[in-house]
Amino acid sequence: MKEETEDPKQAVIQELAECKDKENLNFINAHFFSLPSQGNVYTLTPLTDAKGFTKILVASLQRKVYCLEYTHGRPCMRDVPFTYIPGGAEIVSIDAVNRSIIQEDFIIGITIIKKDDTTGQQSHFFNIYSDWDLNSDSALDVVSQNCLPLELDFVPYHLYHTKTLGKNGWETVWLLSGSDCTIHLYQSDDESHSYQEVEGSQSFPEFKFVDGITLWMDISYTQESKRRVTVTCGEGGNVHMFHVNAENTPEVISSRCILWDYPVSSAKVFSSANFLRTPFFLEDILRLQKQESPRNEDELSIVVGTTLESCFVYRDFAKAQKGFRLPESDANDAVTCCIVCDIDQDGINEILMGTYGQVVLVYKWIQKTSEWILYHTVSLPCPVLSLAYCDVMGDGTFQLIVLTSTGIHILQHDPWEMAKVLLHRIEAFMEPRLDKVHKREPAQDPAHSPIQDTADIEAVGINTSDKR
């Protein structure tokens, strides 16, 4: 009699199914890097190179900028020697982006405040670091030496990069909020190899309606960049939400303003579904073309983080509908930052709120009851200033990056749990496809059969990096 043996893959999938109802995220505090001085809510930004590897740039108030990256699994925290940051200057905000997908065309913006020891007067600068010679090696150390300083007549706050339609197509621009209650637009001039401030009312007409000092802004494009949703929040408690037609001459289609009696620290535009681009190896096997995110502005939501009371989520901001309150979001001191990501790998995005009460709150949408619940909390030893969720380790899974008042925490998912999730996704992806192929063409090898149905590809996504 033949002895039956248990399939190890089925055992893993069964174990994953049994653990699926757990409401706890298993994070490993992988690494901690201390900073010589404290940063703020604007001094952490991820930067992804052309190979898909992500590094973290973090600035301390005392003019130092550090780069956190992993090489062959080993972490490295080093000082990046950015020029034109004089002694005694304080860094207010930093942002970075790679403008190319085939090479390292980094552009980094840093705003600083410098106090004159003699007169006591303050001067403010916006330093833009880039390499205009595309034939050179635009590594981080090279870019940090090519600076264009722009003097400001206002105190800088949030520095943000986005895209807009220019004369030569889509281009990256800088948006900078200031103490003059204005959001300033900075655009590149390829002929003079410089940046300059330009009138922003034509490219971003929504900013004409923004009043007060803007503490945070976020922009999300939809419908193949034909539409965009913009949100700003400010020191005076104003939250402005805009739906903009971005084709040809941009114009505001609809807007909504919510007034609070206290400052609003953060806001984020997001989609509940987590869309991931099809990995290149599946494109080759399944003969598929690259898919763009099918975002629709009607499906976008906006989360607003307040400093004194509960935070809210607005699922249909264009209509005067009541927002969803995030429970216990006012129980851990002021909310300092928020991000949206699929932290539990179920294909639906969660909301993460960083608080000054040394806790990161994780909220999950429950479809059956139509409510947001407090899904998980992460306790830290110091106040949380900024959050990021990216693959900084280069192992194919994302890590939670937490900037606190003393340093940077790298929180890693349990590798064994991630392996179980990956096996489950592969199993769920392959079995239905193979069944369809066998029914249609039983004599043909399924591995060489073209598959036309791509509906489930988005649902199979796991937060993995596309490493070539």
Side-chain angles (χ1 to χ4, degrees), residues 14-298:
Q14 180 65 27
E15 185 178 351
L16 177 66
E18 294 174 355
C19 297
K20 203 166 186 180
D21 294 332
K22 289 185 178 179
E23 294 190 355
N24 291 323
L25 297 172
N26 191 4
F27 280 114
I28 300 173
N29 200 339
H31 298 100
F32 171 74
F33 302 91
S34 62
L35 295 175
S37 62
Q38 179 177 315
N40 62 39
V41 296
Y42 302 132
T43 55
L44 182 141
T45 181
L47 179 61
T48 304
D49 61 22
K51 296 180 181 179
F53 294 99
T54 301
K55 56 193 71 179
I56 300 296
L57 295 180
V58 57
S60 61
L61 295 181
Q62 297 181 355
R63 71 182 291 269
K64 291 290 187 180
V65 179
Y66 299 92
C67 176
L68 169 62
E69 57 186 335
Y70 283 72
T71 304
H72 303 296
R74 293 189 174 185
C76 174
M77 186 86 163
R78 61 186 179 91
D79 181 9
V80 182
F82 283 93
T83 57
Y84 290 93
I85 303 180
E90 293 185 0
I91 297 178
V92 178
S93 53
I94 183 173
D95 194 17
V97 63
N98 187 8
R99 294 179 294 185
S100 175
I101 60 174
I102 60 175
Q103 61 183 351
E104 295 182 2
D105 185 15
F106 296 152
I107 174 173
I108 302 169
I110 299 177
T111 63
I112 62 173
I113 296 178
K114 183 180 182 301
K115 185 176 181 180
D116 193 319
D117 295 334
T118 305
T119 62
Q121 294 183 348
Q122 289 184 343
S123 54
H124 315 94
F125 293 89
F126 176 25
N127 293 346
I128 302 177
Y129 300 86
S130 63
D131 189 359
W132 292 93
D133 185 6
L134 296 180
N135 294 322
S136 66
D137 182 14
S138 297
L140 185 59
D141 292 332
V142 176
V143 173
S144 65
Q145 303 302 306
N146 295 291
C147 175
L148 173 67
L150 302 175
E151 189 169 5
L152 308 174
D153 57 0
F154 56 88
V155 178
Y157 281 80
H158 186 205
L159 178 61
Y160 183 82
H161 73 269
T162 186
K163 64 179 182 178
T164 186
L165 191 60
K167 297 179 180 179
N168 301 320
W170 290 98
E171 58 181 333
T172 301
V173 297
W174 294 105
L175 297 173
L176 177 61
S177 62
S179 60
D180 57 353
C181 303
T182 304
I183 297 177
H184 301 263
L185 171 63
Y186 296 88
Q187 205 165 11
S188 63
D189 185 356
D190 295 338
E191 295 182 358
S192 61
H193 289 185
S194 64
Y195 284 81
Q196 57 185 355
E197 184 177 359
V198 298
E199 176 62 36
S201 59
Q202 183 174 359
S203 299
F204 296 91
E206 59 266 40
F207 293 151
K208 293 188 297 183
F209 305 97
V210 176
D211 53 353
I213 298 176
T214 299
L215 298 180
W216 201 268
M217 68 188 94
D218 192 39
I219 298 175
S220 179
Y221 280 87
T222 64
Q223 294 187 6
E224 298 180 351
S225 299
K226 296 179 181 179
R227 300 283 191 274
R228 71 167 174 257
V229 175
T230 303
V231 59
T232 65
C233 59
E235 188 179 55
N238 298 329
V239 179
H240 296 276
M241 311 174 191
F242 304 95
H243 180 202
V244 181
N245 180 3
E247 286 188 292
N248 300 324
T249 303
E251 60 178 349
V252 177
I253 300 175
S254 61
S255 64
R256 183 180 179 185
C257 180
I258 301 174
L259 302 178
W260 300 87
D261 296 330
Y262 34 80
V264 180
S265 58
S266 58
K268 184 72 175 177
V269 183
F270 69 97
S271 173
S272 59
N274 181 34
F275 180 87
L276 297 174
R277 182 171 59 87
T278 305
F280 77 96
F281 54 86
L282 289 181
E283 292 173 2
D284 294 338
I285 296 175
L286 304 179
R287 303 176 186 178
L288 299 175
Q289 296 181 350
K290 293 183 179 181
Q291 305 282 332
E292 296 296 332
S293 174
R295 281 187 174 181
N296 189 318
E297 61 270 13
D298 295 333

Side-chain angles (χ1 to χ4, degrees), residues 23-27 327-328 332 351-353 355 358-363 373-380 400 411:
E23 294 190 355
N24 291 323
L25 297 172
N26 191 4
F27 280 114
E328 299 184 42
N332 295 277
I351 298 174
L352 277 68
M353 293 286 201
T355 68
Q358 307 178 14
V359 175
V360 176
L361 308 174
V362 182
Y363 291 94
I373 65 167
L374 182 58
Y375 178 66
H376 186 69
T377 59
V378 180
S379 298
L380 293 134
L400 179 61
L411 303 181

